[in-house]
Amino acid sequence: MLDFNTIEKFDKIATPFYFYNMDLFYKTVDHVAELAERYDINVHYAIKANVERRLLEYISSKGFGADCVSGNEVLHAHSCGFPAEKIVYAGVGKSDREIYDAMKLGIEAFNCESLQEIYVINEMAHINGMKANISVRINPDIDAHTHKYVTTGLYENKFGISNHEFDKLIEFIQKSEHINFIGLHFHIGSQITRVGEVFALECLRVNEIVRYFENQGLLVNNINLGGGLGVDYEDPDENPIADFTTWFKTISENITRRPGQKIHVEPGRSIVAQCASLISRVLFVKSGETKNFLIMDAGMNDLIRPALYGAYHKIENLSASMRQFFPTFQAYDIVGPVCESSDVWGAGRLLPLSVRGDLMEIRSTGAYGQVMASRYNMKDLAPSVFSDRLDEAPVAKDYFENR
Ligand SMILES: Cc1ncc(COP(=O)(O)O)c(C=O)c1O
């Protein structure tokens, strides 16, 4: 919930923009750092969720590692202070160039997603006179009970290696001289809200798989359980910080850990989602036959989650909250300006009576928001504005924005 002073300052800033609540961000990261130490769990932040340099520099300063999924993410993480030996690199389609650059940097591990990828890494390490650390991503075949586009641990999936290939995999690793097997990697999906139940299941399945590999003679020193902790999109004020406590506790109580074995997790969304809002203005209020539309200046080019996954984001009218204490409410279809019918923020949302020029806040947009923005329709990219640097924000220039 934003204070009036901040909302007043927004009036001078060109919309749309991503607003970062830095207090909440620091609080979230510090909380995770404290739990990581308490439960002896290594945290690698999944930088795909948000690559904003300020955030990454703080996260790396807390001793977290980085989970990357492209060569550029690896280089960016490194430039933001993550030491190479704390960077892991997953992804089903790593190019030769990306593999080579990461190998040269000396990253902690390639989280390999197919047998062929392991053959290529072994071959490239051989050619370059190196030895590459690998971890193998396994499909644990677990239903994460989340959206079908963000579930990744089911048997038939493009990610990871399934059990019919285990023996071939183990045989190859044992005879290869240019790869150093350090552990197993899992990630079953994202936005998991049945935390205790789903992650306990994951741990039990992981225990079985780790036991199988160790019985075949491969030491699994690192067990990486992936990310996936969900956040409260419905009520971000009630739950501004995700339930890391239950997550870490569930892992700690259900994973079998022999001495010397390290446990890793890779949260992305849960670290950053609640720390940012997309701030937009109402351009037009349009009364249809049966509906009222609020047409905003932020669209699917700024945040594609609603159009892509039908994702829900809470939306608030900031200007109306300043105008009236007890407003009259009305149902609106809230839409963006992009020439696509899927550019809809929400249908039939109840909001205080809204007028042209009102400032709107789209909540919980810190994860998978700005990183997925595009310049579709040749729109400008929405910049970052930080709560502790509001005076540095780009000033609205044209007459309407600067009323
Ligand atoms: C391998 C891997 N690790 C971690 C994450 C981060 O997941 P989340 O943002 O849900 O925590 C993802 C997300 O897709 C992933 O693919």
Side-chain angles (χ1 to χ4, degrees):
M1 194 98 84
L2 292 168
D3 59 81
F4 284 1
N5 199 13
T6 304
I7 299 173
E8 259 172 15
K9 287 192 173 169
F10 282 178
D11 237 355
K12 300 268 177 294
I13 303 174
T15 51
F17 60 90
Y18 276 91
F19 173 69
Y20 285 90
N21 177 342
M22 294 307 284
D23 285 341
L24 179 59
F25 169 70
Y26 294 138
K27 226 166 119 182
T28 307
V29 175
D30 293 354
H31 175 60
V32 178
E34 190 267 309
L35 287 172
E37 194 176 332
R38 192 187 322 158
Y39 288 99
D40 188 21
I41 290 176
N42 296 281
V43 178
H44 283 69
Y45 165 63
I47 86 163
K48 67 166 80 67
N50 190 312
V51 295
E52 176 58 58
R53 177 170 287 278
R54 266 197 86 186
L55 308 191
L56 266 59
E57 285 177 348
Y58 188 72
I59 295 171
S60 65
S61 78
K62 288 278 152 181
F64 292 18
D67 161 48
C68 301
V69 288
S70 75
N72 284 343
E73 279 196 3
V74 169
L75 300 178
H76 183 62
H78 193 237
S79 83
C80 291
F82 292 95
E85 62 277 11
K86 284 192 178 176
I87 296 176
V88 293
Y89 178 12
V92 292
K94 303 174 180 80
S95 72
D96 292 4
R97 161 57 59 188
E98 290 176 309
I99 293 172
Y100 177 70
D101 286 346
M103 208 181 273
K104 233 178 37 187
L105 199 64
I107 60 167
E108 176 179 350
F110 289 92
N111 287 338
C112 300
E113 310 245 8
S114 65
L115 277 176
Q116 196 163 39
E117 181 189 335
I118 297 173
Y119 302 154
V120 168
I121 290 176
N122 184 57
E123 178 72 14
M124 285 178 68
H126 176 47
I127 291 168
N128 291 291
M130 294 174 180
K131 199 159 181 170
N133 286 343
I134 68 156
S135 219
V136 179
R137 178 161 177 186
I138 302 292
N139 260 332
D141 196 20
I142 285 177
D143 188 350
H145 296 288
T146 182
H147 193 286
K148 69 176 190 294
Y149 287 173
V150 291
T151 189
T152 54
L154 288 169
Y155 189 68
E156 209 69 88
N157 222 303
K158 75 170 178 173
F159 303 100
I161 294 176
S162 302
N163 50 9
H164 72 277
E165 291 186 307
F166 283 1
D167 292 339
K168 209 166 156 188
L169 167 74
I170 292 169
E171 192 192 334
F172 182 77
I173 289 173
Q174 283 171 332
K175 67 168 200 247
S176 303
E177 290 176 9
H178 297 279
I179 50 178
N180 179 33
F181 173 81
I182 66 163
L184 295 177
H185 174 223
F186 305 84
H187 172 76
I188 57 173
S190 201
Q191 185 51 15
I192 295 168
T193 48
R194 287 153 73 163
V195 183
E197 174 197 336
V198 171
F199 288 109
L201 252 181
E202 183 190 17
C203 288
L204 300 182
R205 182 85 184 100
V206 167
N207 291 341
E208 285 171 23
I209 297 170
V210 169
R211 207 173 313 126
Y212 184 81
F213 274 72
E214 295 215 320
N215 285 341
Q216 304 300 308
L218 267 191
L219 268 192
V220 180
N221 287 326
N222 286 1
I223 302 173
N224 183 335
L225 296 166
L229 178 64
V231 303
D232 192 345
Y233 284 102
E234 306 273 335
D235 198 347
D237 290 319
E238 184 66 24
N239 294 301
I241 297 184
D243 193 0
F244 290 97
T245 307
T246 304
W247 191 31
F248 280 58
K249 197 161 173 284
T250 303
I251 291 171
S252 175
E253 286 170 357
N254 290 282
I255 203 83
T256 308
R257 188 197 302 219
R258 61 163 172 73
Q261 219 162 22
K262 286 191 186 150
I263 308 299
H264 295 252
V265 289
E266 300 172 334
R269 181 192 313 273
S270 50
I271 302 265
V272 288
Q274 302 292 24
C275 305
S277 295
L278 178 58
I279 308 295
S280 175
R281 270 185 198 280
V282 175
L283 294 177
F284 303 108
V285 183
K286 187 170 163 180
S287 303
E289 289 263 313
T290 54
K291 290 176 174 182
N292 295 299
F293 292 94
L294 288 187
I295 302 172
M296 314 240 278
D297 62 4
M300 64 191 283
N301 56 301
D302 299 299
L303 176 76
I304 201 171
R305 296 187 71 254
L308 189 63
Y309 311 127
Y312 174 88
H313 286 270
K314 187 171 180 184
I315 299 176
E316 288 171 308
N317 184 326
L318 299 175
S319 308
S321 68
M322 306 263 285
R323 253 191 321 262
Q324 286 169 301
F325 204 63
F326 296 108
T328 313
F329 281 82
Q330 178 158 327
Y332 293 101
D333 277 16
I334 310 172
V335 300
V338 173
C339 293
E340 296 288 339
S341 306
S342 57
D343 189 21
V344 176
W345 291 109
R349 297 279 186 101
L350 266 189
L351 283 177
L353 276 184
S354 305
V355 296
R356 171 172 154 83
D358 276 356
L359 279 165
M360 310 289 283
E361 181 181 12
I362 304 169
R363 305 288 305 270
S364 319
T365 56
Y368 307 109
Q370 226 173 351
V371 279
M372 288 198 198
S374 79
R375 296 214 48 215
Y376 184 42
N377 284 191
M378 289 190 80
K379 294 279 185 186
D380 291 327
L381 291 175
S384 305
V385 170
F386 300 102
S387 55
D388 55 347
R389 295 185 185 166
L390 268 177
D391 296 334
E392 294 170 20
V395 174
K397 284 189 203 74
D398 67 37
Y399 165 75
F400 164 66
E401 286 174 319
N402 209 1
R403 288 159 311 138

